[in-house]
Amino acid sequence: MNFEIDGQFQRLLFDTSPLGIAIVGSDGLLEGSNPAFREIVGREDAAPATLSVLELSHLGDRKELEAVLKGLTSGICDSARIAEHRFLRPDGEIRWGRVSARVSEDYTGILFLTVEDITEQQSAEEALRNHRDELQQEVEHRTKELQDSNRELEAFCYSVSHDLRAPLRALDGFAEAIIDDYHDKLDDSGRLYLDRIRAATTRMASLIDDLLQLSRVGRREMMKGRVNLSDMAGLLVEELRNGEPDRKVVTTIDEDLVAIGDRRLLGVVMQNLLGNAWKFTGKNDHARIEVGRGVSKGGREQFFVRDNGAGFDMTYHDKLFAPFQRLHNSTDFPGAGVGLATVQRIIHRHRGRVWADSEVGAGSTFSFSLPSSGSGTDGQVPHEESEDGN
Amino acid sequence: MAIEAGRYVLLVEDNPDDELLTLRAFKKNSINVEIRVVRDGQDAVDFFFSEDMEGGMLKDQLGLPAFVLLDLQLPKIDGIEVLRRIRKNSASKSLPVIVLTTSDEQRDVLKSYGLGANSYVRKPVNFKKFVETVGQLGIYWLTTNVPAENAS
């Protein structure tokens, strides 16, 4: 051996270093090593006779180390690094090392290899990679499940649209036929009962249509653009006035309310909110409906539809947006209880928020905000629905 | 209403209630035209075409109906396919076909027009409206509209 470690201190460092250190001759033979190195490569001898350092490497990485050693011994470079190098221990275990190699300045033909054991890092990374792959597979699996269930839902809605309406047509048609053809044979209550059948049929038909609209809201592809809510509200109010020309309702619509979203879907939102405002002010002689804009605490633009109608008890506000939940009896204010569920569904699809404020007898304000960038993605729903709007 | 002798309307409808109501609606509108009814898609296709319909010949003893009222959801062969075959055959490609169905799903509407339906009508649940609708259809397609066969 033509290399010695000088002095006590160097010996101490050599023996106790957590880095594996090997002294290698220009022929690649291992001439010395510290305990940390021996631990990594799984050998007991510090310098076994005629063992090339290359024999410690995993076959797949051996060439790279060989090239590095060659580069150093032939004087092409003084030092080199290998970021990831596999050592194959006699017990079959693979250890990953980060290897630095340099030419000794004092001893000709001697190379120092230092090896940092990065096996744990490597296995952590591998576990992470596996985990990521598993997650990816899980996502793909879930997506497929979701697509399947969406398809089923679509088929279901289609058959609801077709098959549930058909018997209603028969109910209404034949009730009408009895009224028509057997008018003389019926007394007043007979006719009344048939009218009730027909009225119930109409209600059920509109309920089915509302449900279909709710289901379509989730299926329709969104086309986002600038939507002038002021113009939209103006037209809708006009329609409502035409429907009930005798009602006197003062409406105020702020100008230039512009939202980013799908025109048709936002039309459904405004139609439902204005329709509700119109309906729930029905018993008010001085009905007022206001459409405007405000700013949230966070500086986000929000739109509102406000009325001075019947209002509702805020105790039940969590039921407000759930389908089929009604906070008024259907004699006072008819409806299926699907409208606000539809509104919420649409706003959520836009990744926006919708909330309500109300007081019994004083009216309600329904507000919503939409992401201004319009970057919302299909099918994403915000995590929480808070009431901090105003 | 003056309707040419020998003209008839073909109703393709599998629901007996709807069949009865449609017949009643014609009667309510005093449209005295013969209405022939077939109750599934296969019968509809067989009504027009002998053997296999793609290249099949039109059965000629009857002549074409004035128009077809076609439901979409039918047993065996659905209405969309019936429409496709009617349009594919040169003898019936200009025949007025009115889709009369419960569905107002966009894809049904688009598919029907894409295959050359002349009209798409959603059956109203309210019978009074249904009578009105059938009346409008009947009068328009039987008296107002000039069919292709008369144009030559």
Side-chain angles (χ1 to χ4, degrees):
Chain A
M1 217 205 287
N2 52 8
F3 169 78
E4 293 290 335
I5 291 171
D6 309 322
Q8 218 177 346
F9 183 61
Q10 263 114 326
R11 168 57 64 184
L12 180 73
L13 278 182
F14 185 74
D15 284 345
T16 59
S17 167
L19 283 178
I21 303 170
I23 299 115
V24 179
S26 54
D27 46 10
L29 292 181
L30 193 61
E31 298 198 0
S33 61
N34 72 346
F37 184 83
R38 295 197 294 275
E39 200 281 319
I40 293 170
V41 299
R43 305 275 174 161
E44 308 221 320
D45 279 357
T50 67
L51 177 68
S52 166
V53 73
L54 293 174
E55 286 173 57
L56 302 172
S57 298
H58 186 275
L59 208 55
D61 289 355
R62 200 170 283 178
K63 280 227 163 66
E64 192 182 8
L65 184 62
E66 198 177 357
V68 163
L69 296 183
K70 206 172 268 173
L72 293 173
T73 48
S74 62
I76 294 171
C77 54
D78 288 342
S79 66
R81 283 173 65 88
I82 303 175
E84 290 173 2
H85 186 82
R86 280 172 296 175
F87 293 95
L88 182 60
R89 293 156 57 103
D91 60 11
E93 194 194 331
I94 289 172
R95 288 287 183 92
W96 290 84
R98 179 165 297 141
V99 179
S100 298
R102 58 181 305 133
V103 177
S104 165
E105 287 169 12
D106 305 322
Y107 299 89
T108 359
I110 288 291
L111 309 172
F112 298 118
L113 288 190
T114 57
V115 181
E116 183 189 353
D117 191 338
I118 56 168
T119 307
E120 267 179 41
Q121 269 164 267
Q122 284 292 330
S123 47
E125 269 171 40
E126 196 185 329
L128 209 62
R129 258 195 307 275
N130 287 343
H131 189 58
R132 203 179 50 208
D133 289 349
E134 275 167 31
L135 274 181
Q136 183 65 31
Q137 280 174 9
E138 181 68 18
V139 167
E140 279 165 19
H141 178 68
R142 291 273 173 89
T143 307
K144 191 171 172 307
E145 273 185 348
L146 205 59
Q147 282 167 344
D148 287 348
S149 93
N150 270 345
R151 256 193 298 278
E152 271 169 37
L153 191 65
E154 200 166 319
F156 174 75
C157 288
Y158 184 83
S159 102
V160 164
S161 139
H162 196 275
D163 299 343
L164 286 193
R165 280 175 62 96
L168 288 178
R169 221 167 27 243
L171 275 176
D172 188 75
F174 293 118
E176 166 83 18
I178 294 174
I179 294 172
D180 224 24
D181 296 356
Y182 302 93
H183 195 263
D184 303 342
K185 298 196 170 98
L186 291 169
D187 59 10
D188 282 351
S189 51
R191 279 191 290 274
L192 178 72
Y193 295 157
L194 284 168
D195 281 343
R196 291 219 164 182
I197 291 178
R198 299 196 54 215
T201 309
T202 309
R203 275 204 304 282
M204 178 135 176
S206 73
L207 173 56
I208 291 174
D209 283 346
D210 287 352
L211 277 178
L212 280 176
Q213 187 174 52
L214 175 61
S215 88
R216 273 182 204 142
V217 157
R219 289 183 282 147
R220 236 180 78 84
E221 216 169 287
M222 293 212 291
M223 309 243 291
K224 285 193 179 174
R226 288 168 62 84
V227 180
N228 189 320
L229 298 179
S230 307
D231 293 350
M232 195 178 255
L235 289 171
L236 287 164
V237 165
E238 210 176 296
E239 260 176 50
L240 290 165
R241 284 193 197 284
N242 290 338
E244 284 180 89
D246 294 339
R247 278 196 56 189
K248 287 186 176 50
V249 179
V250 179
T251 53
T252 322
I253 300 171
D254 282 359
E255 278 176 27
D256 299 325
L257 303 176
V258 175
I260 308 284
D262 180 284
R263 170 173 296 278
R264 258 180 65 175
L265 290 179
L266 290 183
V268 173
V269 167
M270 294 307 286
Q271 188 189 5
N272 274 297
L273 293 182
L274 283 166
N276 278 350
W278 187 267
K279 178 163 72 181
F280 289 109
T281 50
K283 297 191 188 317
N284 190 334
D285 293 336
H286 304 282
R288 286 181 59 87
I289 296 173
E290 201 184 328
V291 181
R293 132 179 62 204
V295 177
S296 76
K297 284 176 205 152
R300 187 181 255 194
E301 185 176 46
Q302 55 199 34
F303 306 101
F304 65 81
V305 175
R306 180 176 295 148
D307 66 65
N308 62 348
F312 61 89
D313 187 343
M314 284 293 279
T315 318
Y316 306 112
H317 79 270
D318 55 329
K319 287 190 168 178
L320 204 59
F321 293 100
F324 299 115
Q325 297 289 345
R326 310 189 65 258
L327 298 180
H328 299 91
N329 73 56
S330 52
T331 318
D332 288 347
F333 300 103
V338 182
L340 286 177
T342 307
V343 166
Q344 188 184 53
R345 188 89 178 267
I346 293 172
I347 298 297
H348 280 180
R349 262 197 88 187
H350 283 82
R351 291 193 168 187
R353 292 202 316 113
V354 57
W355 64 96
D357 271 290
S358 189
E359 199 182 312
V360 175
S364 308
T365 303
F366 285 87
S367 313
F368 63 90
S369 63
L370 300 168
S372 49
S373 60
S375 62
T377 327
D378 263 10
Q380 297 285 330
V381 167
H383 291 299
E384 81 186 288
E385 188 63 17
S386 62
E387 244 58 46
D388 63 9
N390 39 13
Chain B
M1 188 187 310
I3 296 160
E4 263 177 77
R7 298 206 82 188
Y8 68 99
V9 172
L10 182 70
L11 173 64
V12 188
E13 175 61 75
D14 67 312
N15 182 328
D17 288 338
D18 278 350
E19 177 189 330
L20 198 53
L21 291 172
T22 308
L23 298 179
R24 187 177 165 87
F26 269 94
K27 212 160 76 190
K28 284 270 146 199
N29 283 289
S30 312
I31 302 174
N32 296 312
V33 66
E34 183 188 358
I35 297 167
R36 288 166 181 267
V37 185
V38 287
R39 296 185 177 88
D40 65 49
Q42 183 65 56
D43 285 354
V45 168
D46 290 345
F47 183 89
F48 288 113
F49 313 115
S50 49
E51 295 186 14
D52 97 283
M53 29 292 138
E54 298 289 325
M57 295 296 289
L58 194 70
K59 289 179 177 168
D60 58 3
Q61 70 273 27
L62 270 174
L64 287 171
F67 63 89
V68 179
L69 287 175
L70 179 66
D71 193 8
L72 286 187
Q73 282 205 326
L74 295 168
K76 296 179 190 171
I77 298 177
D78 70 22
I80 292 287
E81 180 60 20
V82 172
L83 176 60
R84 196 183 68 77
R85 294 188 189 184
I86 287 176
R87 287 290 175 258
K88 202 165 182 181
N89 194 301
S90 60
S92 57
K93 68 177 197 304
S94 307
L95 174 67
V97 176
I98 291 103
V99 174
L100 181 64
T101 183
T102 310
S103 159
D104 66 344
E105 287 286 314
Q106 206 185 11
R107 58 178 169 159
D108 283 339
V109 181
L110 294 178
K111 250 194 222 162
S112 299
Y113 281 124
L115 285 169
N118 296 78
S119 194
Y120 190 105
V121 179
R122 192 188 189 201
K123 293 175 189 166
V125 165
N126 184 296
F127 186 66
K128 281 199 174 113
K129 283 187 194 146
F130 186 61
V131 171
E132 269 173 42
T133 305
V134 169
Q136 286 165 0
L137 285 175
I139 289 163
Y140 178 79
W141 289 104
L142 287 170
T143 64
T144 315
N145 185 59
V146 176
E149 62 209 76
N150 290 8
S152 52

